[in-house]
Amino acid sequence: DAPEETSPDDGATSKVVPPSGRPLEVLSLGEGQGRNGVYLASLGHRVTAVDLSPVGLAKASRLAAERGVPEANLCPVVANLEDWTPPPDTFDVVLSVFCALPTPAREKLHRACVAALRPGGVVVVLAYAPRQAAVRGKRAGGPPTDRLIGVDQLLADFDGLEAVVADEVEGRLDEGRFHHGVAVTARLVARKPAVIETEGGPAELNQRARCTN
């Protein structure tokens, strides 16, 4: 079957990297059917796309093939994000678009994502904010109330990163059947300091992500 949603979330992907930028190692959490990961892979970036659904990731792979994306640019990983940990010091970008988890699992994963970023790396998060519960009557979607997350919580989760964008906005989503209607979203774009301290003094890390399940 074809993916129900194929258009990328411009509010998130536009903050990852300009189209003319160098290829990056990108981790996409809760990728679903590929709308964001395939788009970024089509720009030449190497995307590790993690999702619980093998069906969704199979659709993502088909979408990538249809769009002529090199197979090496999209690495689908079937995993439960409640107990999955990304490898440290591996990614230039961590992208999370409407990936809703229970609070303990979310906090654990977000801390691991800080460690997974290379120095100078960026995390980009879009999440349904707590005020989303008040607009559900306007045909808005969103996860259960206990999985809504505000910008203050995101800032706490990604403590140690330098916030570039941190706000909550209300608007309309029109990104397919699963993301349509009035939405209140928490947005965070935050950068890891470019130089880290080691026992021998400041150092920069430079590893490459490998596609592994």
Side-chain angles (χ1 to χ4, degrees):
D1 294 336
E4 283 84 0
E5 295 180 305
T6 60
S7 299
D9 187 301
D10 291 336
T13 56
S14 64
K15 292 179 174 60
V16 172
V17 65
S20 60
R22 66 175 178 83
L24 300 176
E25 296 286 351
V26 179
L27 171 61
S28 180
L29 302 172
E31 173 59 33
Q33 301 175 16
R35 67 194 185 104
N36 296 309
V38 170
Y39 169 73
L40 292 172
S42 75
L43 299 181
H45 306 302
R46 294 179 291 268
V47 180
T48 299
V50 186
D51 199 275
L52 180 62
S53 171
V55 175
L57 289 178
K59 291 182 179 181
S61 295
R62 287 197 292 273
L63 180 64
E66 290 169 3
R67 295 185 176 179
V69 175
E71 199 170 316
N73 284 14
L74 184 70
C75 172
V77 176
V78 178
N80 185 344
L81 288 171
E82 293 189 27
D83 54 29
W84 183 80
T85 301
D89 304 313
T90 301
F91 297 100
D92 300 298
V93 176
V94 173
L95 178 67
S96 177
V97 179
F98 302 123
C99 178
L101 295 172
T103 298
R106 185 204 77 229
E107 292 174 343
K108 179 183 176 182
L109 178 61
H110 285 177
R111 286 194 298 269
C113 287
V114 173
L117 279 176
R118 294 169 174 168
V122 174
V123 62
V124 180
V125 182
L126 291 185
Y128 286 108
R131 286 196 296 127
Q132 181 71 9
V135 299
R136 290 189 195 276
K138 301 177 183 179
R139 295 178 58 201
T145 302
D146 62 354
R147 298 191 183 194
L148 301 174
I149 178 172
V151 69
D152 289 343
Q153 293 167 293
L154 288 176
L155 287 168
D157 285 0
F158 292 100
D159 184 42
L161 303 188
E162 301 167 353
V164 179
V165 175
D167 60 15
E168 295 183 16
V169 295
E170 180 174 335
R172 289 194 62 85
L173 295 179
D174 189 15
E175 300 172 6
R177 182 160 59 92
F178 297 117
H179 300 97
H180 179 79
V182 177
V184 183
T185 56
R187 307 186 301 180
L188 178 67
V189 179
R191 185 177 302 276
K192 192 171 190 176
V195 178
I196 63 170
E197 291 292 332
T198 67
E199 291 184 1
E204 292 191 7
L205 299 180
N206 185 22
Q207 299 182 18
R208 292 194 60 182
R210 291 187 298 173
C211 185
T212 60
N213 290 329

